[in-house]
């Protein structure tokens, strides 16, 4: 990770985290979904305290993968019910959060 001295460099990351928070808020209730929420809380905490960000990002990505796996194994109705919200979470992470982090030099 490089040393970022301009706080404006972090604005796109903060905006992306807020987008992920909004997307995760649309997930149905369940164990796997709660794991995603906890991982996101950990990422947000690491960002606000300027701690290492790569490990929480990896945990968030792993929890999203676990969510997709758990949903595929669950009842079809439950899977279809949350499929658009799961797709939105993954899309926001891949298209907003990861690029914002990479632009300032995070290795994610």
């Amino acid at each position: 990770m490089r040393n970022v001295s301009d706080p404006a460099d972090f604005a796109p990351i903060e905006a992306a985290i807020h987008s992920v928070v909004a997307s995760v808020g649309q997930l149905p209730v369940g164990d796997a979904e709660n794991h995603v929420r906890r991982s996101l809380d950990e990422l947000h905490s690491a960002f606000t305290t300027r701690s290492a960000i790569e490990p929480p990002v990896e945990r968030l990505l792993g929890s999203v993968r676990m969510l997709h796996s758990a949903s595929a194994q669950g009842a079809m109705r439950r899977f279809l019910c949350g499929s658009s919200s799961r797709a939105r979470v993954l899309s926001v992470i891949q298209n907003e959060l990861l690029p914002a982090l990479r632009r300032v030099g995070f290795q994610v």
Side-chain angles (χ1 to χ4, degrees):
M1 179 179 85
R2 72 181 179 103
N3 187 7
V4 180
S5 58
D6 186 0
D9 287 340
F10 290 112
I13 298 169
E14 188 169 0
I17 289 174
H18 287 290
S19 292
V20 176
V21 168
S23 297
V24 168
Q26 300 300 311
L27 290 172
V29 176
D31 288 341
E33 292 84 356
N34 289 338
H35 188 41
V36 172
R37 289 179 180 95
R38 286 189 303 274
S39 297
L40 181 56
D41 287 344
E42 182 183 353
L43 171 62
H44 190 258
S45 176
F47 175 74
T48 58
T49 61
R50 301 300 189 249
S51 300
I53 202 100
E54 290 88 350
V57 168
E58 282 303 313
R59 281 188 282 283
L60 177 61
L61 291 170
S63 66
V64 170
R65 286 185 212 106
M66 184 179 75
L67 173 63
H68 282 279
S69 175
S71 297
Q73 295 171 5
M76 183 57 77
R77 183 173 196 275
R78 183 168 181 254
F79 178 76
L80 293 175
C81 176
S83 64
S84 64
S85 57
R86 283 190 307 279
R88 173 77 180 136
V89 169
L90 185 58
S91 174
V92 171
I93 291 170
Q94 290 177 334
N95 298 320
E96 294 180 36
L97 180 62
L98 294 179
L101 290 167
R102 289 175 182 141
R103 275 193 292 277
V104 295
F106 289 104
Q107 301 297 312
V108 293

